[in-house]
Amino acid sequence: MVEPASRTLEQLTLSDDFKIEELVDKHALGEMAQSFYELFRVPLRIYSQSERLLAEASEQPELYRYINTLPEAKVALQAVVAAVKNLRPERDGVRYPCITGAEYYVASIRYDGRAIGRMILGPYLPASLREIPRSFTDLDPTIDVKQVRELLPKMARAKEDTVKQIALHLGRTLDLILFSGHRALLASSMHMASVRESFRELQDKNDKLQQAYDRLKELDRLKSNFLATVSHELRTPLTSIIGYSEMLNEGIAGPLVGEQKEFVDTIHNKGEQLLELIKGLLDLSKLESGTMSLRRKNEAAEPIVRDVVATVTPAALKKDVELKVVFEAGLLEMWADAERIRQVLLNLTENAIKFTPAGGVVTVAARMGALTPDPSDEGGLVLLNTSRAAIELSVTDTGIGIAEEERSRVFDAFYQVDSSSTREQGGTGLGLSIVKRLVEGHDGRVRIEANQPTGARFVVLIPVRRATFT
Ligand SMILES: Nc1ncnc2c1ncn2[C@@H]1O[C@H](COP(=O)(O)OP(=O)(O)O)[C@@H](O)[C@H]1O
Ligand SMILES: [Mg+2]
């Protein structure tokens, strides 16, 4: 959601209750006041609109120090100071006489068309003052007139015009300082506004992404549920179809004549194919939902490999593909669910035979290998995980091979490299996705390499049991 521009602008202009102290540095203000005082010797105070003393440059004149020792004169002086403080001059400054004949000058400080504070200059002696006012000496019978006569001339003397000029200059200097402060404030709030804006946009996108992700996750879960239910429900009637076609074939319901046997054969074969597909789907949904449990034990590779090779021998013979088995001596046992490893190897060897033309060779091999940490894993884990002993099972063929760019995609469910050519070979595209999930369920890894000069090589690494440290 993008905020209206007016709102942002509003944040950039000064608010009504803005304060000088927000725009200028108090220390800088003090320095400025001090240098004015040193130049003109006229005491000077700067107040904010809210009556806070922001800067002061003055020394109490000796005369005033003396007055403060006289009880009655002191009260009169305090009344003057209070009155001066309460002056609220408009555009022009105002003079205010003190009991001593000295004067104060009060002017408002304005910025951007509004009053934001006051400056009070004084006390100073007006140029016109010649005599000590009678009103002053009459104030207190104990006043030492001689003393007063001595102390009064020590105060700064200023012409009315000069005082006005000083106030004017002070005002202009303040205006400059305020302006640069204002500019800095503007720049920083503009920056803040833009950062806030990008942050909000980012957050917005993030939220949308999260929503999309949640939705996808939910869809994925629904899909897995659907797969599981449908596959299960399909399997039951299919068992009947296969069973009855088998019985028909065996002549239990009377002998089959002519093409009848051929047709029933087809029904039976297609039924078996469908059953394989459904089993694959069930496996996949179990793997995806994490409900497939592995029963891991220490297992030797050899019996599993031999069993798989025995299973696929008829298919290899039929296609005129040679089957080879290679074992390295002294293999350790792997930490695995034998039935699942068998399923992995069976899938790979069936594929190898399927995609290898007559006269080709398929080699199933087992040897020691190592699982090195995947560099794409989290950085921290690489440091902890050193390489781990593993059994390397490989299935190599001399068939059509798999192009480099297809190698990661063939592990996707239902993906087949060339659906027209693989269609005639049969298959569903589920085999390799199951292989990958099963292998990763064993904390292992599967990869595809090219065989020279032609063919594919699938390499599966299954870890041996992790050594326990004592
Ligand atoms: N040994 C192989 N040689 C060439 N291509 C292969 C080999 N194994 C798998 N493939 C390719 O990967 C695809 C996916 O394999 P798989 O998941 O087992 O599905 P299916 O065997 O049902 O087609 C195959 O359709 C094929 O295109
Ligand atoms: Mg397959």
Side-chain angles (χ1 to χ4, degrees):
M1 206 190 60
V2 178
E3 282 205 357
S6 60
R7 172 78 207 281
T8 320
L9 268 179
E10 201 176 283
Q11 290 168 347
L12 294 182
T13 48
L14 290 174
S15 55
D16 284 337
D17 55 355
F18 115 95
K19 302 186 181 72
I20 308 187
E21 52 266 49
E22 283 171 2
L23 284 194
V24 299
D25 177 40
K26 221 181 146 183
H27 182 72
L29 211 59
E31 296 258 306
M32 186 204 69
Q34 190 61 36
S35 51
F36 264 84
Y37 178 63
E38 276 162 22
L39 257 174
F40 305 107
R41 303 315 298 177
V42 174
L44 146 72
R45 282 180 188 78
I46 296 175
Y47 287 90
S48 72
Q49 198 70 345
S50 55
E51 305 304 323
R52 269 185 58 194
L53 179 62
L54 298 178
E56 172 174 30
S58 64
E59 284 155 40
Q60 195 177 37
E62 280 178 66
L63 175 65
Y64 282 65
R65 233 179 287 156
Y66 169 64
I67 293 172
N68 276 330
T69 63
L70 311 169
E72 282 184 46
K74 182 180 173 180
V75 172
L77 185 60
Q78 276 168 349
V80 170
V81 171
V84 168
K85 270 192 161 184
N86 277 329
L87 286 177
R88 290 287 178 277
E90 281 297 309
R91 245 154 238 293
D92 294 320
V94 187
R95 286 154 53 205
Y96 194 90
C98 182
I99 47 167
T100 55
E103 241 178 38
Y104 289 92
Y105 184 83
V106 184
S108 83
I109 299 172
R110 309 182 69 82
Y111 181 73
D112 206 17
R114 72 187 97 167
I116 56 165
R118 270 169 308 132
M119 55 177 113
I120 299 178
L121 302 172
Y124 57 88
L125 299 179
S128 52
L129 186 76
R130 297 271 164 254
E131 268 298 304
I132 302 170
R134 286 296 304 252
S135 55
F136 175 40
T137 41
D138 287 350
L139 210 64
D140 199 317
T142 58
I143 281 187
D144 179 350
V145 180
K146 194 171 151 252
Q147 176 111 349
V148 171
R149 205 160 267 157
E150 214 171 278
L151 294 180
L152 193 69
K154 289 192 178 176
M155 286 174 64
R157 208 172 254 282
K159 279 193 219 136
E160 191 186 329
D161 268 1
T162 316
V163 173
K164 272 192 182 163
Q165 283 294 322
I166 294 173
L168 203 69
H169 284 308
L170 196 63
R172 282 191 192 144
T173 316
L174 260 174
D175 200 63
L176 272 179
I177 296 180
L178 286 168
F179 177 68
S180 69
H182 187 184
R183 205 171 45 182
L185 186 77
L186 270 186
S188 83
S189 26
M190 219 125 79
H191 180 71
M192 291 262 287
S194 92
V195 168
R196 216 177 293 134
E197 197 55 45
S198 355
F199 177 75
R200 204 173 300 123
E201 265 170 38
L202 214 62
Q203 185 134 43
D204 211 42
K205 289 200 176 122
N206 223 354
D207 287 351
K208 287 203 181 110
L209 218 59
Q210 182 67 39
Q211 278 166 15
Y213 174 75
D214 289 347
R215 172 120 187 86
L216 276 179
K217 225 164 84 175
E218 174 63 12
L219 282 177
D220 199 52
R221 200 185 58 79
L222 288 176
K223 184 206 71 184
S224 294
N225 276 357
F226 175 77
L227 266 183
T229 322
V230 168
S231 314
H232 195 79
E233 294 305 316
L234 283 175
R235 206 160 53 164
T236 323
L238 202 53
T239 328
S240 302
I241 293 176
I242 292 171
Y244 282 110
S245 61
E246 231 163 32
M247 289 198 286
L248 280 177
N249 236 341
E250 284 162 13
I252 290 174
L256 298 180
V257 292
E259 287 179 316
Q260 284 175 347
K261 190 173 165 49
E262 201 184 304
F263 289 174
V264 173
D265 253 345
T266 310
I267 294 176
H268 184 252
N269 287 341
K270 295 293 171 195
E272 291 281 6
Q273 251 182 41
L274 207 55
L275 190 62
E276 281 311 308
L277 168 64
I278 290 168
K279 276 193 204 157
L281 282 174
L282 260 178
D283 276 354
L284 197 67
S285 69
K286 275 190 202 156
L287 284 166
E288 279 182 347
S289 61
T291 51
M292 180 180 284
S293 57
L294 295 175
R295 279 186 287 276
R296 288 204 254 186
K297 293 200 303 258
N298 280 320
E299 293 282 358
E302 186 163 349
I304 302 175
V305 172
R306 298 251 180 245
D307 182 72
V308 166
V309 169
T311 310
V312 297
T313 298
L317 279 175
K318 201 167 145 195
K319 258 201 92 174
D320 190 19
V321 169
E322 190 189 340
L323 270 178
K324 281 190 194 166
V325 186
V326 180
F327 281 106
E328 193 181 64
L331 278 184
L332 294 176
E333 289 178 325
M334 53 194 172
W335 183 241
D337 182 330
E339 181 45 37
R340 296 304 173 192
I341 298 298
R342 199 185 94 88
Q343 199 180 345
V344 165
L345 274 182
L346 193 65
N347 261 310
L348 295 180
T349 9
E350 274 174 353
N351 277 350
I353 294 168
K354 190 158 70 170
F355 296 104
T356 301
V361 183
V362 169
T363 310
V364 187
R367 64 176 186 189
M368 287 307 297
L371 267 167
T372 46
D374 190 338
S376 66
D377 271 359
E378 298 292 306
L381 292 176
V382 174
L383 289 175
L384 295 173
N385 273 350
T386 44
S387 75
R388 188 174 170 192
I391 301 295
E392 185 193 284
L393 302 166
S394 64
V395 177
T396 313
D397 64 54
T398 58
I400 57 173
I402 303 175
E404 175 114 42
E405 63 274 15
E406 299 282 2
R407 285 184 199 155
S408 57
R409 300 167 69 184
V410 291
F411 291 111
D412 292 344
F414 300 109
Y415 187 81
Q416 298 182 306
V417 172
D418 177 354
S419 28
S420 65
S421 83
T422 42
R423 189 65 61 224
E424 62 195 52
Q425 313 275 2
T428 56
L430 283 180
L432 287 181
S433 64
I434 294 174
V435 162
K436 187 167 167 53
R437 287 190 162 85
L438 282 176
V439 169
E440 284 171 357
H442 280 83
D443 308 312
R445 229 167 16 240
V446 56
R447 65 170 191 271
I448 306 175
E449 294 170 357
N451 188 26
Q452 293 308 331
T454 165
R457 187 171 127 84
F458 282 79
V459 182
V460 172
L461 286 157
I462 302 293
V464 305
R465 189 164 198 179
R466 196 188 287 271
T468 41
F469 297 99
T470 45

